[in-house]
Amino acid sequence: MSSSAWWRSAVVYQIYPRSFADASGDGVGDLVGIRHHLDHLEQLGVDVVWLSPIYRSPMDDNGYDISDYQDIDPLFGTLEDFDELLADVHRRGMKLLMDLVVNHTSDEHPWFVESRSSTDNPKRDWYWWRPARQGGVPGEAGAEPNNWGSFFSGPAWEYDEVTGEYYLHLFSRKQPDLNWENPEVREAVYTMMRWWLDRGVDGFRMDVINLISKDTSLPDGEVRAGEEYGGLGRSVVDGPRVHEFLAEMHREVFGPLDRDLLLVGETPGATVEEARKYTDPRRREIDMVFQFEHVQVDRGASKWDVLPFDMRVLRHVLDRWQQGLADVGWNSLYWDNHDQPRVVSRFGDDGEHRVESAKLLATVLHLQRGTPYIYQGDELGMTNFPFSSIEQFDDLESVNYFHEAVGHGQDPAEVLARLRAMSRDNARTPMQWDDSTHAGFTDATPWLPVNPNHREINAAGQVGVAGSVFEHHRRLTALRHAEPAVVEGDFTLLLPNHEQLFVFTRCHEQTELVVIANFSGQPADLPGVLLDRCAGAELLVGERTEPTMQPWESRVHRRQLPAGD
Ligand code: TEU
């Protein structure tokens, strides 16, 4: 945690370096490419830039599998390029966050290479090694130490012939889980973190940080109907020692520094109650978390079980998080990132009302209480990609799922439809800078195809252009910096059962902001109570004050409350 809560009024921008800008001409984004586009971020007015991983990596999971925490992957550049980027970012008054991926390493990390070499290697206990389950024949299906399935299909255990044992990997088999029970592991991680902080970085986005503590008995999980593997959530999500580990990390790494840092944890499956613990400043763990409930409102048992979007469910979940972290802790506000489909395609309308719905989503995001995160391209209203065949996908999660599902006899066309809706590659297509052949992302063939709609949707056509999605985001970012009610105001949901309107207020001292969003493709009449409330109020965001909201229209009003109210 930092000495002050400066990040409450900050807006963060997430860069997925692979897809942001390619300066070296190999079709993959890089650090020099990012430096060339810092104007864009400055114009948007963001305060912090978070970089998805740029460390040396075999790229099995696009850099979330790290083989050297203290070097830059040659695809992205060098440590020197990094230092220059950091200096440029600082010169522009912005801060830079690194992605910290320490639930697991790559299987090519020297720690793991040593660990796997023999059962008595000093690093053996740095990972989770276990023999085959009793009665099982090592290496044969079903003999895994327990029944857990990995997040990326197949079992969460990989058999290793060198020593005849299995290692645990919650993600891909090239991402073995570190054993945080071992104090040497924790010290090695802290040492590496100090090294980056000494280099000048301003904090970390901590990948799956709520999975680092496991129930050490590694019990079988419950196998739900229709599932092949047992769930591991109970044993690894917000595990027994996670708060102890984070408090220790804080004491060891951040405590001694008198610096304005930002520490944000990615916490899939975390409840409001746990999030309060992670982010309560008195506990000195981290500043804020990315919770997942609102990005699961349109799914059933798994992320591939796609349900129709219902705004009322989304609104309910967001309200619960706003209330839950009102007096203690702090929310991270996000619609999507490199793991989620594009929000305008998912919760908005990427057809006729793309611009209006992208603006509405921006308004609702920025006006909640918490720190907003803009994922690259969302400031332009970028959409999902029109995928038509499995060959167009790169992401291992998508590719593994496709083969597994089709292998189990499912209709490939149906599986593809699910990928089109939910695949992470939707967010990973190259940034759309202009309307040229590769959208100004690269001169070479891009590693993932550019969305054909870059002819209409691109930065060149929006920056400085009145009415654009970009200018709307710029306005909202500026509003946070200028209006204390956006930062500090209490959140109150109004009209909680309305079918189209998502309405809330933010109240601070004598200022009330009224946020009205028509989450639908049909006009919506404003109820009398709302018209009365906004009569004579200043219109801060939006263009109209008519009593009927147009499809996907959003507005923010500001009114002064009489003293004593
Ligand atoms: O993601 C963790 C996570 O829980 C999911 O979002 C996951 O990516 C997947 O979509 C589950 O269906 C983090 C990173 O953000 C992600 O890119 C990595 O692949 C993952 O951890 C492993 O490091």
Side-chain angles (χ1 to χ4, degrees), residues 532-554:
D532 292 347
R533 195 172 197 125
C534 298
E538 186 187 349
L539 184 68
L540 283 184
V541 179
E543 282 95 46
R544 304 168 64 262
T545 53
E546 278 74 1
T548 300
M549 299 283 286
Q550 294 299 307
W552 296 103
E553 185 185 347
S554 60

Side-chain angles (χ1 to χ4, degrees), residues 14 16 50 52-53 61-65 99 101 103-104 151-152 170-172 175 205 207-208 210-211 266-269 292 295-296 299 303-304 337-340 395-397 422 424 428:
Q14 183 193 350
Y16 193 63
W50 145 32
S52 275
D61 187 18
N62 289 354
Y64 281 90
D65 49 317
D99 217 304
V101 189
N103 172 70
H104 44 268
F151 290 112
F152 292 156
L170 301 187
F171 294 91
S172 96
Q175 293 169 300
R205 173 271 186 188
D207 194 64
V208 291
N210 67 329
L211 309 187
E266 187 207 26
T267 57
F292 274 58
V295 291
Q296 297 181 340
R299 60 173 259 188
K303 83 179 258 177
W304 306 114
N337 54 40
H338 64 292
D339 293 333
Q340 301 290 334
D395 174 31
L396 84 167
E397 183 188 41
M422 284 297 167
R424 309 197 294 183
R428 299 179 179 184

Side-chain angles (χ1 to χ4, degrees), residues 105-123:
T105 66
S106 162
D107 65 338
E108 296 181 35
H109 193 293
W111 297 343
F112 187 76
V113 173
E114 274 192 54
S115 183
R116 107 191 303 172
S117 65
S118 71
T119 51
D120 56 7
N121 184 278
K123 290 209 169 50

